[in-house]
Amino acid sequence: RRGASIERDYGRRLAAKECWMMPDAYLREQLLQLLRGENAHATFDDVVNNFPLAHVGVRPGGAPHSPWELLEHMRISQYDIVRFSQDPGYVSPKWPDEYWPRQQAPSSEREWRKSTESFRRDRKEFEQLILDPGRDLYEPFPWGDGQTLLREALVLADHTAYHLGQLMQLRRALEKKPD
């Protein structure tokens, strides 16, 4: 249909025009989509919802980490980035020991759920930092070594996407694994 094509093209031109008129708002929206795993990446919920909980402590086929270890590493790392981006007095965990859980498996299904809820809560908190027009995306934090909110958003999105990919691979391997 020609009409649909014209509407679609007009919409693209309008979106491009809006991008140039409000580049900061457009960038912030793109960062949110990236953080949420929209577009080309699996979302956090896509990967963790209905995860085979009986296997979250298993390292299938010689994998270096269990699903629990990956989830907790993602949660701890995200927490670190959120707190660092907010608080000049925040002290990061010791690398690498304190960025990974001590146990290969959670103590209970409740602990798994608590970790996923914490991850979601911290992500929403970071999203609020991104959406705050009073927070300059490009201004280095006075308490850092040149880090900016934009840099932290990109690091967080990249880190999360990488480990979600690993977690998805483990999920697929565990779902195929006979009990």
Side-chain angles (χ1 to χ4, degrees):
R1 291 185 8 181
R2 179 137 169 71
S5 175
I6 290 171
E7 290 171 15
R8 191 172 45 251
D9 290 344
Y10 176 75
R12 281 192 206 125
R13 284 196 305 268
L14 184 58
K17 182 178 179 184
E18 290 171 355
C19 171
W20 290 109
M21 291 170 45
M22 300 184 314
D24 191 65
Y26 182 78
L27 176 58
R28 289 172 192 271
E29 181 58 37
Q30 294 301 308
L31 288 171
L32 291 183
Q33 290 180 23
L34 187 62
L35 287 165
R36 293 173 182 157
E38 296 173 355
N39 300 322
H41 298 100
T43 68
F44 180 77
D45 289 334
D46 289 341
V47 178
V48 301
N49 286 352
N50 302 311
F51 203 93
L53 296 178
H55 303 296
V56 295
V58 175
R59 294 178 181 164
H65 306 293
S66 70
W68 170 248
E69 290 168 310
L70 289 173
L71 173 64
E72 273 295 277
H73 173 66
M74 290 168 43
R75 183 192 63 76
I76 293 165
S77 298
Q78 178 176 256
Y79 178 88
D80 179 49
I81 289 172
V82 173
R83 295 297 162 259
F84 172 79
S85 299
Q86 295 173 317
D87 183 359
Y90 173 74
V91 177
S92 292
K94 182 182 174 194
W95 175 259
D97 299 338
E98 295 177 358
Y99 282 83
W100 292 92
R102 295 175 194 253
Q103 303 298 321
Q104 183 175 326
S107 60
S108 65
E109 288 183 12
R110 183 176 180 273
E111 191 174 13
W112 173 270
R113 284 191 299 277
K114 184 177 174 185
S115 184
T116 61
E117 290 164 6
S118 180
F119 183 91
R120 289 181 188 104
R121 192 171 41 254
D122 289 339
R123 185 185 64 205
K124 284 184 188 272
E125 194 171 339
F126 193 75
E127 288 175 5
Q128 292 307 308
L129 294 176
I130 297 296
L131 288 172
D132 181 355
R135 299 288 307 250
D136 187 334
L137 295 173
Y138 308 100
E139 181 70 28
F141 299 130
W143 56 86
D145 297 319
Q147 298 94 332
T148 66
L149 188 56
L150 176 60
R151 177 196 176 271
E152 295 304 297
L154 294 173
V155 167
L156 180 56
D158 183 52
H159 185 264
T160 301
Y162 175 77
H163 289 301
L164 276 179
Q166 289 182 306
L167 194 53
M168 180 61 86
Q169 288 179 328
L170 289 179
R171 179 181 181 153
R172 288 178 178 157
L174 290 166
E175 288 174 338
K176 289 180 184 177
K177 185 177 180 174
D179 289 325

